[in-house]
Amino acid sequence: MVTSKVKEVMDGKGVSIRDLAKATGLSTCTLHRARGDLIGRCTLDTLRFIATALGVKVKDLFEED
């Protein structure tokens, strides 16, 4: 199972959903999905946009159990 660390990374950098939506061009709905249990359904491009905006690598956005 894949567990999202997006919220953790966002909190650590002080980035809100609105800030991230503005920086990535993604909808807040998509970002909520990436922050939760549905991260496994996000495309690699979506994760790349998020990672780039947060200044981390894609692999830093999730962990596998």
Side-chain angles (χ1 to χ4, degrees):
M1 178 164 183
V2 176
T3 305
S4 177
K5 292 175 52 181
V6 175
K7 182 178 181 340
E8 180 182 320
V9 174
M10 288 174 63
D11 289 348
K13 294 187 175 276
V15 177
S16 72
I17 287 280
R18 274 193 181 157
D19 294 336
L20 192 56
K22 192 178 269 189
T24 62
L26 299 171
S27 71
T28 56
C29 183
T30 297
L31 296 174
H32 280 290
R33 183 173 44 237
R35 288 170 39 122
D37 294 337
L38 297 177
I39 190 170
R41 294 190 179 177
C42 292
T43 66
L44 188 54
D45 280 340
T46 295
L47 296 175
R48 185 174 46 83
F49 289 140
I50 294 169
T52 299
L54 292 173
V56 299
K57 295 181 180 182
V58 171
K59 69 179 186 172
D60 297 329
L61 299 178
F62 62 90
E63 63 186 10
E64 275 190 89
D65 296 336

